[in-house]
Amino acid sequence: MRSGIFKGSVCVSSVLFLGFVAFCAYTRLGGPNPEADTSGAHWHYASLSNKFHVAATSDWGGGLVFFNQAEPYTGSVLGLAGDRSVREKGLTGLGLYFRSIGYAGKDETWWTLIISLWYPLVIFAILPAVWVGQKLLGCKLANRPEGHSSPG
């Protein structure tokens, strides 16, 4: 039973890994960044709900962009110096970019999370790498000459 679950997990992880490899190629070659026209920049995105959207960007080496408004926040002027009506929280580094912006008197916030594509690529490569390692190690142990003891 465990072997079947492991093999199924390896298959799912392999498919997701290959999907993210293709997605990475798209971010590098397809130019998924916003298009600019006279009315501003327009992002191409998929909406998972009214307040949860997903897009791709080639910036920062390729990434997944999650956001809750019509456009993701990627940095701009929020208010004038000394203006206390804007609250900004954020984190930038290690392949992550997060901003949460709130306005005084409003309950709604504007948030954006950008995750480097390296995270899903590495995560989904782990199980297939373990499986390949087991197969290679299993072949070496099975082809060992008679009378040869294992180390240890």
Side-chain angles (χ1 to χ4, degrees):
M1 180 68 176
R2 280 191 202 168
S3 178
I5 292 172
F6 179 70
K7 286 180 183 176
S9 299
V10 167
C11 288
V12 169
S13 189
S14 298
V15 167
L16 289 170
F17 173 75
L18 293 174
F20 274 101
V21 166
F23 191 70
C24 191
Y26 165 69
T27 63
R28 304 273 177 159
L29 305 173
N33 288 347
E35 296 176 357
D37 62 18
T38 56
S39 63
H42 303 285
W43 284 76
H44 300 283
Y45 58 85
S47 294
L48 302 178
S49 76
N50 193 24
K51 293 289 182 184
F52 190 78
H53 314 292
V54 181
T57 182
S58 61
D59 292 340
W60 303 291
L64 287 169
V65 184
F66 303 95
F67 56 100
N68 71 332
Q69 298 294 327
E71 303 288 332
Y73 176 80
T74 57
S76 65
V77 176
L78 295 171
L80 300 174
D83 183 6
R84 300 203 185 276
S85 65
V86 179
R87 298 177 321 274
E88 179 187 9
K89 297 176 186 172
L91 168 76
T92 303
L94 298 174
L96 298 172
Y97 172 90
F98 175 76
R99 288 293 180 273
S100 175
I101 300 154
Y103 298 95
K106 293 185 179 181
D107 292 334
E108 190 172 23
T109 60
W110 181 12
W111 59 263
T112 298
L113 173 65
I114 302 175
I115 300 174
S116 169
L117 287 178
W118 284 107
Y119 285 106
L121 284 172
V122 169
I123 289 168
F124 293 127
I126 292 171
L127 279 180
V130 168
W131 182 80
V132 167
Q134 285 181 343
K135 291 296 177 187
L136 291 175
L137 192 59
C139 288
K140 287 181 181 177
L141 291 176
N143 293 333
R144 201 171 253 199
E146 285 293 320
H148 193 40
S149 63
S150 61

